[in-house]
Amino acid sequence: MKKGSFLLLLTALIWGMAFVAQSTAMDHIGPWTFNCLRSVLACLALFLLLPFLHKITHTTGMAYDRKKTWIGGIVTGCFLAMASQFQQMGIMTTTVGKAGFITALYVVFVPLLGLFTGKKPAKKIWLCTALAVAGLYFLCMNESLRLTSGDTLVLICALLFAGHIMAVDAFRDGTDPLVLSCIQFGVMALICAIGMVCTEKPVTADIKAASIPILYAGLMSSCAGYTMQIIGQKDTDPALASLLMSLESAFAALGGWVILHQTLSPRELLGCALTFSAVIIVQLPQRKGDRA
């Protein structure tokens, strides 16, 4: 497995554990406040770690296009801010299971958007996308798929996350992924701070009560997860990247089974199996003579 694919799988694992944190935080603070604080924390942590991370990734002194990196950071930051905000607002009025399934539909939106940008996915990608969606349905959906207002917000979030994946792909060449990620968190923090000031009145006691979810979302889901996404996508096709990251739903279910001793029904086990199968198949080398 390529290094990029491994990083994206690790990203999915981290994100898979984040849905509960995102949901519990809403018991104490609003979505704008949560996203503002998590992105401020991510930006500061990554900024402080930049010299160390550049050293271990052997990118110290690397020549890169500063203008393109700044533009990329601003564009990806806008997509990430709005996608995260729609997701948080949706989670407030829908179940975590439905939110996980609908969010992961970016696995469908990415290859569709690729058609409009000249990135025609291989036939194998479409097969694996269908397998992944079926797996996600069995894994996450135990209720009606009839869309509520919260479900609609999460569906918009899935489209915006697909846009974020495509934006990362567009700016992957000639940029410093670590600096770009730091900039995107700063942009997200600024956008969410404006929303927080205009619509919410955060109280220190409430922020303290939500400190654990904020810390996890800021340091792990945001700082580590989204930065590894950008690095991982450096040498990974966006459609393949979306398939790998869609495993976040399966990892969330498996994490609940291993850590919280929650049981997995046969339906959920089938969902995990189908989703993992899609990722395994898409990683298999293509035979010579096969058409893309």
Side-chain angles (χ1 to χ4, degrees):
M1 178 178 286
K2 293 182 179 179
K3 182 182 76 172
S5 296
F6 174 76
L7 288 175
L8 293 172
L9 279 175
L10 190 55
T11 298
L13 175 60
I14 292 171
W15 286 350
M17 305 299 173
F19 271 101
V20 175
Q22 290 175 247
S23 181
T24 55
M26 296 300 94
D27 295 335
H28 306 286
I29 56 177
W32 287 110
T33 302
F34 177 74
N35 282 323
C36 175
L37 294 176
R38 72 183 287 193
S39 51
V40 167
L41 187 59
C43 184
L44 289 175
L46 185 55
F47 179 76
L48 293 174
L49 290 171
L50 275 178
F52 172 73
L53 293 174
H54 274 140
K55 185 176 181 179
I56 65 173
T57 56
H58 307 291
T59 53
T60 303
M62 181 185 73
Y64 65 92
D65 189 329
R66 293 182 181 274
K67 181 179 179 181
K68 186 177 181 181
T69 298
W70 271 94
I71 294 173
I74 292 170
V75 172
T76 58
C78 289
F79 271 113
L80 186 58
M82 298 316 298
S84 299
Q85 187 59 28
F86 274 104
Q87 185 184 57
Q88 283 303 123
M89 292 189 297
I91 285 175
M92 294 173 69
T93 54
T94 191
T95 64
V96 171
K98 288 179 77 174
F101 170 68
I102 297 172
T103 297
L105 288 179
Y106 60 69
V107 75
V108 177
F109 292 140
V110 168
L112 288 176
L113 290 175
L115 293 176
F116 293 100
T117 58
K119 290 183 176 292
K120 185 179 179 181
K123 291 179 180 178
K124 186 167 64 172
I125 292 288
W126 292 110
L127 169 64
C128 294
T129 296
L131 267 178
V133 171
L136 290 165
Y137 179 82
F138 286 121
L139 178 64
C140 301
M141 293 299 300
N142 293 310
E143 60 258 64
S144 170
L145 193 54
R146 184 176 56 189
L147 290 181
T148 65
S149 58
D151 298 333
T152 303
L153 292 174
V154 181
L155 185 61
I156 296 172
C157 136
L159 184 57
L160 288 167
F161 272 131
H164 179 259
I165 292 170
M166 298 301 293
V168 169
D169 180 67
F171 291 98
R172 68 181 182 177
D173 295 328
T175 59
D176 184 325
L178 297 172
V179 175
L180 189 151
S181 187
C182 194
I183 293 169
Q184 82 167 348
F185 293 137
V187 170
M188 178 177 172
L190 178 60
I191 293 172
C192 293
I194 294 171
M196 178 182 70
V197 171
C198 293
T199 64
E200 299 171 1
K201 295 181 180 180
V203 179
T204 303
D206 293 335
I207 293 174
K208 186 177 180 181
S211 58
I212 299 301
I214 292 170
L215 284 170
Y216 183 86
L219 297 178
M220 296 301 294
S221 181
S222 293
C223 183
Y226 286 111
T227 301
M228 286 193 296
Q229 177 202 350
I230 290 175
I231 297 173
Q233 276 196 242
K234 274 282 186 180
D235 59 353
T236 307
D237 178 81
L240 171 57
S242 68
L243 272 168
L244 293 168
M245 290 185 288
S246 72
L247 278 177
E248 63 181 291
S249 295
F251 283 133
L254 292 174
W257 177 46
V258 174
I259 299 170
L260 302 177
H261 306 292
Q262 297 173 344
T263 58
L264 286 176
S265 68
R267 175 190 178 95
E268 290 168 327
L269 288 171
L270 173 62
C272 288
L274 287 173
T275 307
F276 276 108
S277 296
V279 172
I280 291 171
I281 292 171
V282 82
Q283 290 288 318
L284 295 176
Q286 189 164 299
R287 292 178 301 177
K288 291 182 178 180
D290 285 354
R291 295 184 63 185

Coordinates of all heavy atoms in Angstrom, one line a residue, residues 83-167:
A83 N -18.5 23.1 5.1 CA -18.8 21.7 5.2 C -19.0 21.3 6.6 O -20.0 20.7 7.0 CB -17.8 20.9 4.5
S84 N -18.0 21.7 7.5 CA -18.1 21.4 8.9 C -19.3 22.1 9.6 O -19.9 21.5 10.5 CB -16.8 21.9 9.6 OG -15.7 21.2 9.0
Q85 N -19.6 23.3 9.2 CA -20.7 24.0 9.8 C -22.1 23.3 9.4 O -22.9 23.1 10.3 CB -20.7 25.5 9.3 CG -21.8 26.3 10.0 CD -21.6 26.3 11.5 OE1 -20.5 26.2 12.0 NE2 -22.7 26.5 12.3
F86 N -22.3 23.0 8.2 CA -23.5 22.3 7.8 C -23.6 20.9 8.5 O -24.7 20.5 8.9 CB -23.5 22.1 6.2 CG -24.1 23.3 5.5 CD1 -23.3 24.2 4.8 CD2 -25.5 23.5 5.5 CE1 -23.8 25.3 4.1 CE2 -26.0 24.6 4.8 CZ -25.2 25.5 4.1
Q87 N -22.5 20.3 8.6 CA -22.5 19.0 9.3 C -22.9 19.1 10.8 O -23.7 18.4 11.3 CB -21.1 18.3 9.2 CG -21.1 16.9 9.8 CD -19.7 16.3 9.8 OE1 -18.7 16.9 10.4 NE2 -19.6 15.2 9.2
Q88 N -22.3 20.1 11.5 CA -22.6 20.3 12.9 C -24.1 20.7 13.1 O -24.8 20.2 14.0 CB -21.7 21.4 13.5 CG -20.3 21.0 13.8 CD -20.3 19.8 14.7 OE1 -19.7 18.8 14.4 NE2 -20.9 19.9 15.9
M89 N -24.6 21.6 12.2 CA -26.0 22.0 12.3 C -26.9 20.8 12.0 O -28.0 20.6 12.6 CB -26.3 23.1 11.3 CG -25.6 24.4 11.7 SD -26.2 25.9 10.8 CE -25.7 25.4 9.1
G90 N -26.5 19.9 11.1 CA -27.3 18.8 10.8 C -27.3 17.8 11.9 O -28.4 17.2 12.2
I91 N -26.2 17.6 12.5 CA -26.1 16.6 13.6 C -27.0 17.0 14.8 O -27.5 16.1 15.5 CB -24.6 16.5 14.1 CG1 -23.8 15.7 13.1 CG2 -24.5 15.9 15.5 CD1 -22.3 15.6 13.4
M92 N -27.3 18.3 14.9 CA -28.2 18.7 16.0 C -29.6 18.2 15.9 O -30.3 18.1 16.8 CB -28.2 20.2 16.1 CG -26.8 20.8 16.5 SD -26.8 22.7 16.4 CE -27.9 23.1 17.7
T93 N -30.0 17.9 14.6 CA -31.4 17.5 14.4 C -31.6 16.2 13.7 O -32.6 15.9 13.2 CB -32.1 18.6 13.6 OG1 -31.4 18.9 12.4 CG2 -32.2 19.9 14.4
T94 N -30.5 15.4 13.6 CA -30.6 14.0 13.0 C -29.8 13.1 13.8 O -29.0 13.5 14.7 CB -30.1 14.0 11.5 OG1 -30.5 12.8 10.9 CG2 -28.6 14.2 11.4
T95 N -29.9 11.8 13.5 CA -29.1 10.8 14.3 C -27.7 10.7 13.8 O -27.4 11.1 12.6 CB -29.8 9.4 14.1 OG1 -29.7 9.0 12.8 CG2 -31.2 9.4 14.6
V96 N -26.8 10.3 14.7 CA -25.4 10.1 14.3 C -25.3 9.1 13.2 O -24.4 9.3 12.2 CB -24.6 9.7 15.5 CG1 -23.2 9.3 15.1 CG2 -24.5 10.8 16.6
G97 N -26.1 8.0 13.2 CA -26.0 7.0 12.1 C -26.3 7.6 10.8 O -25.6 7.4 9.8
K98 N -27.4 8.3 10.7 CA -27.8 8.9 9.4 C -26.8 10.0 9.0 O -26.5 10.1 7.8 CB -29.2 9.6 9.5 CG -30.3 8.5 9.6 CD -31.7 9.2 9.7 CE -32.2 9.7 8.4 NZ -33.6 10.2 8.5
A99 N -26.3 10.7 9.9 CA -25.3 11.8 9.6 C -24.0 11.1 9.0 O -23.4 11.6 8.1 CB -24.9 12.6 10.8
G100 N -23.6 10.0 9.6 CA -22.4 9.3 9.1 C -22.6 8.8 7.7 O -21.7 8.9 6.9
F101 N -23.8 8.2 7.5 CA -24.1 7.7 6.1 C -24.2 8.8 5.1 O -23.5 8.7 4.0 CB -25.4 6.9 6.1 CG -25.9 6.5 4.7 CD1 -25.2 5.6 4.0 CD2 -27.0 7.1 4.2 CE1 -25.6 5.2 2.7 CE2 -27.5 6.7 2.9 CZ -26.8 5.8 2.2
I102 N -24.9 9.8 5.4 CA -25.1 10.9 4.4 C -23.8 11.7 4.1 O -23.5 12.0 3.0 CB -26.2 11.9 4.8 CG1 -27.6 11.1 4.9 CG2 -26.4 13.0 3.9 CD1 -28.7 11.9 5.5
T103 N -23.0 11.9 5.2 CA -21.7 12.6 5.0 C -20.8 11.8 4.1 O -20.2 12.4 3.2 CB -21.0 12.8 6.4 OG1 -21.8 13.6 7.2 CG2 -19.7 13.4 6.2
A104 N -20.8 10.5 4.3 CA -19.9 9.6 3.5 C -20.4 9.5 2.0 O -19.6 8.9 1.2 CB -19.8 8.2 4.1
L105 N -21.5 10.1 1.7 CA -21.9 10.1 0.2 C -21.0 11.0 -0.6 O -21.1 11.0 -1.8 CB -23.3 10.6 0.1 CG -24.4 9.7 0.6 CD1 -25.8 10.3 0.4 CD2 -24.3 8.3 -0.1
Y106 N -20.0 11.7 0.0 CA -19.0 12.3 -0.8 C -18.3 11.3 -1.7 O -17.7 11.7 -2.7 CB -18.0 13.2 0.0 CG -17.2 12.4 1.1 CD1 -16.2 11.5 0.7 CD2 -17.4 12.6 2.4 CE1 -15.5 10.8 1.6 CE2 -16.7 11.9 3.4 CZ -15.7 11.0 3.0 OH -14.9 10.3 3.9
V107 N -18.3 10.0 -1.3 CA -17.7 9.0 -2.1 C -18.3 8.9 -3.5 O -17.7 8.5 -4.4 CB -17.8 7.6 -1.3 CG1 -19.2 7.1 -1.4 CG2 -16.8 6.6 -1.9
V108 N -19.6 9.3 -3.6 CA -20.3 9.4 -4.9 C -20.1 10.7 -5.6 O -19.8 10.8 -6.8 CB -21.8 9.2 -4.7 CG1 -22.5 9.3 -6.0 CG2 -22.1 7.8 -4.0
F109 N -20.1 11.8 -4.8 CA -20.0 13.1 -5.4 C -18.6 13.4 -6.0 O -18.5 14.1 -7.0 CB -20.3 14.2 -4.3 CG -21.7 14.2 -3.8 CD1 -22.0 14.4 -2.5 CD2 -22.8 14.0 -4.7 CE1 -23.4 14.4 -2.1 CE2 -24.1 14.1 -4.3 CZ -24.4 14.2 -3.0
V110 N -17.5 12.8 -5.4 CA -16.2 13.1 -5.9 C -16.0 12.6 -7.3 O -15.6 13.4 -8.2 CB -15.1 12.5 -4.9 CG1 -13.7 12.6 -5.6 CG2 -15.1 13.3 -3.6
P111 N -16.3 11.4 -7.6 CA -16.1 11.0 -9.0 C -17.1 11.7 -10.0 O -16.7 11.9 -11.2 CB -16.4 9.5 -9.0 CG -17.1 9.2 -7.8 CD -16.6 10.2 -6.8
L112 N -18.3 12.1 -9.5 CA -19.2 12.8 -10.3 C -18.6 14.2 -10.6 O -18.6 14.7 -11.8 CB -20.5 13.0 -9.7 CG -21.4 11.7 -9.6 CD1 -22.7 12.0 -8.8 CD2 -21.8 11.2 -11.0
L113 N -18.1 14.9 -9.6 CA -17.4 16.2 -9.8 C -16.2 16.0 -10.7 O -15.9 16.9 -11.5 CB -17.0 16.8 -8.5 CG -18.1 17.3 -7.6 CD1 -17.6 17.8 -6.3 CD2 -18.9 18.4 -8.3
G114 N -15.5 14.9 -10.6 CA -14.4 14.6 -11.5 C -14.7 14.6 -12.9 O -13.9 15.0 -13.8
L115 N -15.9 14.2 -13.3 CA -16.3 14.2 -14.7 C -16.3 15.6 -15.2 O -16.1 15.8 -16.4 CB -17.7 13.5 -14.8 CG -17.8 12.0 -14.5 CD1 -19.2 11.6 -14.6 CD2 -16.9 11.2 -15.5
F116 N -16.7 16.6 -14.4 CA -16.8 18.0 -14.8 C -15.4 18.7 -14.9 O -15.3 19.7 -15.4 CB -17.7 18.8 -13.9 CG -19.1 18.3 -14.0 CD1 -19.7 17.5 -13.0 CD2 -20.0 18.7 -15.0 CE1 -21.0 17.1 -13.1 CE2 -21.3 18.3 -15.1 CZ -21.8 17.5 -14.2
T117 N -14.4 18.0 -14.2 CA -13.1 18.7 -14.2 C -12.1 17.9 -15.0 O -10.8 18.1 -14.9 CB -12.6 18.8 -12.7 OG1 -12.5 17.4 -12.1 CG2 -13.5 19.7 -11.9
G118 N -12.5 16.9 -15.8 CA -11.7 16.2 -16.7 C -11.0 15.0 -16.1 O -10.1 14.4 -16.7
K119 N -11.3 14.6 -14.8 CA -10.7 13.5 -14.2 C -11.7 12.3 -14.3 O -12.5 12.1 -13.4 CB -10.4 13.8 -12.7 CG -9.3 14.8 -12.6 CD -9.0 15.0 -11.1 CE -7.7 15.9 -10.9 NZ -6.5 15.3 -11.4
K120 N -11.7 11.6 -15.4 CA -12.6 10.5 -15.6 C -12.1 9.3 -14.7 O -11.0 8.7 -14.9 CB -12.6 10.1 -17.0 CG -13.6 9.0 -17.4 CD -13.6 8.7 -18.8 CE -14.6 7.6 -19.2 NZ -14.6 7.2 -20.6
P121 N -12.9 8.9 -13.8 CA -12.5 7.7 -12.9 C -12.5 6.4 -13.7 O -13.2 6.2 -14.7 CB -13.6 7.7 -11.8 CG -14.4 9.0 -11.9 CD -14.2 9.4 -13.4
A122 N -11.6 5.5 -13.2 CA -11.6 4.2 -13.8 C -12.9 3.4 -13.5 O -13.6 3.8 -12.6 CB -10.4 3.4 -13.2
K123 N -13.2 2.5 -14.4 CA -14.5 1.7 -14.2 C -14.5 1.0 -12.8 O -15.6 0.9 -12.2 CB -14.6 0.7 -15.3 CG -14.8 1.3 -16.7 CD -14.9 0.2 -17.8 CE -15.1 0.8 -19.1 NZ -15.2 -0.3 -20.2
K124 N -13.3 0.6 -12.4 CA -13.2 -0.1 -11.1 C -13.7 0.9 -9.9 O -14.3 0.4 -9.0 CB -11.8 -0.6 -10.8 CG -11.6 -1.4 -9.6 CD -10.3 -2.1 -9.5 CE -9.1 -1.1 -9.5 NZ -7.8 -1.8 -9.3
I125 N -13.4 2.1 -10.1 CA -13.8 3.1 -9.1 C -15.4 3.1 -8.9 O -15.9 3.2 -7.8 CB -13.3 4.5 -9.4 CG1 -11.8 4.6 -9.4 CG2 -14.0 5.6 -8.5 CD1 -11.3 4.6 -7.9
W126 N -16.1 3.1 -10.1 CA -17.5 3.1 -10.0 C -18.1 1.9 -9.3 O -19.0 2.0 -8.5 CB -18.1 3.2 -11.4 CG -17.9 4.5 -12.1 CD1 -17.0 4.8 -13.1 CD2 -18.4 5.8 -11.7 NE1 -17.0 6.1 -13.4 CE2 -17.8 6.8 -12.6 CE3 -19.3 6.3 -10.7 CZ2 -18.1 8.1 -12.5 CZ3 -19.6 7.6 -10.6 CH2 -19.0 8.5 -11.5
L127 N -17.5 0.7 -9.6 CA -17.9 -0.5 -8.9 C -17.7 -0.4 -7.4 O -18.6 -0.8 -6.6 CB -17.1 -1.7 -9.5 CG -17.3 -3.0 -8.7 CD1 -18.7 -3.5 -8.7 CD2 -16.3 -4.1 -9.3
C128 N -16.5 0.0 -7.1 CA -16.2 0.1 -5.6 C -17.0 1.2 -4.9 O -17.3 1.1 -3.8 CB -14.7 0.4 -5.5 SG -13.6 -1.0 -6.0
T129 N -17.3 2.3 -5.7 CA -18.2 3.3 -5.1 C -19.6 2.7 -4.7 O -20.1 3.0 -3.7 CB -18.4 4.5 -6.1 OG1 -17.1 5.1 -6.3 CG2 -19.3 5.5 -5.5
A130 N -20.1 1.9 -5.7 CA -21.4 1.3 -5.4 C -21.4 0.3 -4.2 O -22.3 0.3 -3.4 CB -21.9 0.5 -6.7
L131 N -20.3 -0.4 -4.2 CA -20.1 -1.3 -3.0 C -20.0 -0.6 -1.7 O -20.6 -1.0 -0.7 CB -18.8 -2.1 -3.2 CG -18.9 -3.5 -3.9 CD1 -17.5 -4.1 -4.0 CD2 -19.8 -4.5 -3.1
A132 N -19.3 0.5 -1.7 CA -19.1 1.3 -0.5 C -20.4 2.0 -0.1 O -20.7 2.0 1.1 CB -18.0 2.4 -0.8
V133 N -21.2 2.5 -1.0 CA -22.5 3.1 -0.6 C -23.4 2.0 0.0 O -24.1 2.3 1.0 CB -23.1 3.8 -1.9 CG1 -24.5 4.2 -1.6 CG2 -22.3 5.0 -2.3
A134 N -23.4 0.8 -0.7 CA -24.3 -0.2 -0.1 C -23.8 -0.6 1.3 O -24.6 -0.8 2.2 CB -24.2 -1.5 -1.0
G135 N -22.5 -0.7 1.5 CA -22.0 -1.0 2.8 C -22.3 0.1 3.8 O -22.7 -0.2 5.0
L136 N -22.2 1.3 3.4 CA -22.5 2.4 4.3 C -23.9 2.4 4.7 O -24.3 2.7 5.9 CB -22.1 3.8 3.7 CG -20.6 4.0 3.5 CD1 -20.3 5.1 2.5 CD2 -19.9 4.3 4.8
Y137 N -24.8 2.1 3.8 CA -26.2 2.0 4.1 C -26.5 0.9 5.1 O -27.2 1.2 6.1 CB -27.0 1.7 2.8 CG -28.5 1.6 3.1 CD1 -29.3 2.8 3.1 CD2 -29.1 0.4 3.3 CE1 -30.7 2.7 3.4 CE2 -30.5 0.3 3.5 CZ -31.2 1.5 3.6 OH -32.6 1.4 3.8
F138 N -26.0 -0.2 4.9 CA -26.2 -1.3 5.9 C -25.6 -1.0 7.3 O -26.1 -1.4 8.3 CB -25.7 -2.6 5.4 CG -26.5 -3.3 4.3 CD1 -26.0 -3.5 3.1 CD2 -27.9 -3.6 4.5 CE1 -26.7 -4.1 2.1 CE2 -28.6 -4.1 3.5 CZ -28.1 -4.4 2.3
L139 N -24.5 -0.3 7.2 CA -23.7 0.0 8.5 C -24.4 1.1 9.3 O -24.5 1.0 10.5 CB -22.3 0.5 8.1 CG -21.4 0.9 9.2 CD1 -21.1 -0.3 10.2 CD2 -20.1 1.4 8.7
C140 N -24.9 2.1 8.6 CA -25.4 3.3 9.3 C -26.9 3.5 9.4 O -27.4 4.1 10.4 CB -24.8 4.6 8.6 SG -23.0 4.7 8.5
M141 N -27.6 2.9 8.5 CA -29.0 3.2 8.4 C -29.9 2.1 9.1 O -29.9 1.0 8.6 CB -29.4 3.4 7.0 CG -28.8 4.6 6.3 SD -29.3 6.1 7.1 CE -31.1 6.0 6.9
N142 N -30.5 2.5 10.2 CA -31.5 1.6 10.8 C -32.9 2.2 10.9 O -33.8 1.7 11.5 CB -31.0 1.3 12.3 CG -29.7 0.5 12.3 OD1 -29.7 -0.5 11.6 ND2 -28.8 0.9 13.0
E143 N -33.0 3.3 10.2 CA -34.3 4.0 10.2 C -34.6 4.4 8.7 O -33.9 4.1 7.8 CB -34.3 5.2 11.1 CG -33.3 6.3 10.7 CD -32.0 6.2 11.6 OE1 -31.3 5.2 11.6 OE2 -31.8 7.2 12.3
S144 N -35.7 5.1 8.6 CA -36.2 5.6 7.2 C -35.2 6.5 6.6 O -34.6 7.3 7.3 CB -37.5 6.2 7.3 OG -37.9 6.9 6.1
L145 N -35.0 6.4 5.3 CA -34.1 7.3 4.6 C -34.8 8.6 4.2 O -34.2 9.5 3.6 CB -33.5 6.6 3.4 CG -32.3 7.3 2.7 CD1 -31.2 7.6 3.7 CD2 -31.8 6.5 1.6
R146 N -36.0 8.8 4.6 CA -36.7 10.0 4.3 C -36.0 11.2 4.9 O -35.7 11.3 6.1 CB -38.2 10.0 4.9 CG -39.0 11.2 4.5 CD -40.4 10.9 5.1 NE -40.4 10.7 6.5 CZ -41.5 10.3 7.2 NH1 -42.6 10.1 6.5 NH2 -41.4 10.1 8.5
L147 N -35.7 12.2 4.1 CA -34.9 13.3 4.5 C -35.6 14.3 5.4 O -36.7 14.8 5.0 CB -34.4 14.1 3.2 CG -33.3 13.4 2.4 CD1 -32.9 14.3 1.2 CD2 -32.1 13.0 3.2
T148 N -35.0 14.6 6.5 CA -35.5 15.7 7.4 C -34.7 16.9 7.1 O -33.7 16.9 6.3 CB -35.3 15.3 8.9 OG1 -33.9 15.2 9.1 CG2 -36.0 14.0 9.2
S149 N -35.0 18.0 7.8 CA -34.2 19.3 7.6 C -32.7 19.0 7.9 O -31.8 19.5 7.3 CB -34.8 20.4 8.4 OG -34.8 20.1 9.8
G150 N -32.5 18.3 9.0 CA -31.1 18.0 9.4 C -30.4 17.1 8.4 O -29.2 17.4 8.1
D151 N -31.1 16.2 7.9 CA -30.5 15.3 6.8 C -30.1 16.1 5.6 O -29.1 15.9 5.0 CB -31.5 14.2 6.4 CG -31.8 13.3 7.6 OD1 -31.0 13.1 8.5 OD2 -33.0 12.7 7.5
T152 N -30.9 17.1 5.2 CA -30.7 17.9 4.1 C -29.4 18.8 4.3 O -28.6 18.9 3.4 CB -31.8 18.9 3.8 OG1 -33.0 18.1 3.6 CG2 -31.6 19.7 2.6
L153 N -29.2 19.3 5.5 CA -28.0 20.0 5.9 C -26.8 19.1 5.8 O -25.7 19.6 5.2 CB -28.1 20.6 7.3 CG -29.2 21.7 7.5 CD1 -29.3 22.0 9.0 CD2 -28.8 22.9 6.7
V154 N -26.9 17.9 6.2 CA -25.7 17.0 6.1 C -25.5 16.6 4.7 O -24.3 16.4 4.3 CB -26.0 15.7 7.0 CG1 -24.8 14.8 6.9 CG2 -26.2 16.1 8.5
L155 N -26.5 16.5 3.9 CA -26.3 16.2 2.4 C -25.5 17.3 1.8 O -24.6 17.1 0.9 CB -27.7 16.0 1.7 CG -27.6 15.6 0.3 CD1 -26.9 14.2 0.1 CD2 -29.0 15.5 -0.3
I156 N -25.9 18.6 2.1 CA -25.1 19.7 1.6 C -23.7 19.7 2.1 O -22.7 19.9 1.3 CB -25.8 21.1 2.0 CG1 -27.2 21.2 1.4 CG2 -24.9 22.3 1.6 CD1 -28.0 22.4 2.0
C157 N -23.5 19.2 3.3 CA -22.2 19.1 3.9 C -21.4 18.1 3.1 O -20.2 18.2 2.8 CB -22.3 18.7 5.3 SG -21.2 17.3 5.9
A158 N -22.0 16.9 2.7 CA -21.3 15.9 1.9 C -20.8 16.5 0.5 O -19.7 16.2 0.1 CB -22.2 14.7 1.6
L159 N -21.7 17.3 -0.1 CA -21.3 17.9 -1.4 C -20.1 18.9 -1.2 O -19.2 18.9 -2.0 CB -22.5 18.7 -2.0 CG -22.3 19.3 -3.3 CD1 -21.9 18.2 -4.4 CD2 -23.6 20.0 -3.8
L160 N -20.1 19.6 0.0 CA -19.0 20.6 0.2 C -17.8 19.8 0.6 O -16.7 20.2 0.2 CB -19.4 21.5 1.4 CG -20.5 22.5 1.1 CD1 -21.1 23.2 2.3 CD2 -19.9 23.6 0.1
F161 N -17.9 18.7 1.3 CA -16.7 17.9 1.6 C -16.1 17.3 0.3 O -14.9 17.2 0.1 CB -17.0 16.7 2.5 CG -16.8 17.1 4.0 CD1 -17.8 16.8 4.9 CD2 -15.7 17.8 4.4 CE1 -17.7 17.2 6.2 CE2 -15.6 18.1 5.8 CZ -16.6 17.8 6.7
A162 N -16.9 17.0 -0.7 CA -16.5 16.5 -2.0 C -15.7 17.7 -2.7 O -14.7 17.5 -3.3 CB -17.6 16.1 -2.9
G163 N -16.3 18.9 -2.5 CA -15.6 20.1 -3.1 C -14.2 20.3 -2.4 O -13.2 20.7 -3.1
H164 N -14.2 20.0 -1.1 CA -12.9 20.2 -0.4 C -11.9 19.2 -0.9 O -10.7 19.5 -1.1 CB -13.1 20.0 1.1 CG -11.9 20.1 1.9 ND1 -11.2 19.0 2.4 CD2 -11.2 21.1 2.4 CE1 -10.2 19.4 3.1 NE2 -10.1 20.7 3.1
I165 N -12.3 17.9 -1.1 CA -11.4 16.9 -1.6 C -10.9 17.3 -3.0 O -9.7 17.2 -3.3 CB -12.1 15.5 -1.7 CG1 -12.4 15.0 -0.3 CG2 -11.2 14.5 -2.5 CD1 -13.2 13.8 -0.2
M166 N -11.7 17.8 -3.9 CA -11.3 18.2 -5.2 C -10.4 19.4 -5.2 O -9.5 19.6 -6.0 CB -12.6 18.5 -6.1 CG -13.5 17.3 -6.3 SD -12.7 15.9 -7.1 CE -12.3 16.6 -8.7
A167 N -10.7 20.4 -4.2 CA -9.8 21.5 -4.1 C -8.4 21.1 -3.6 O -7.4 21.7 -4.1 CB -10.5 22.5 -3.1

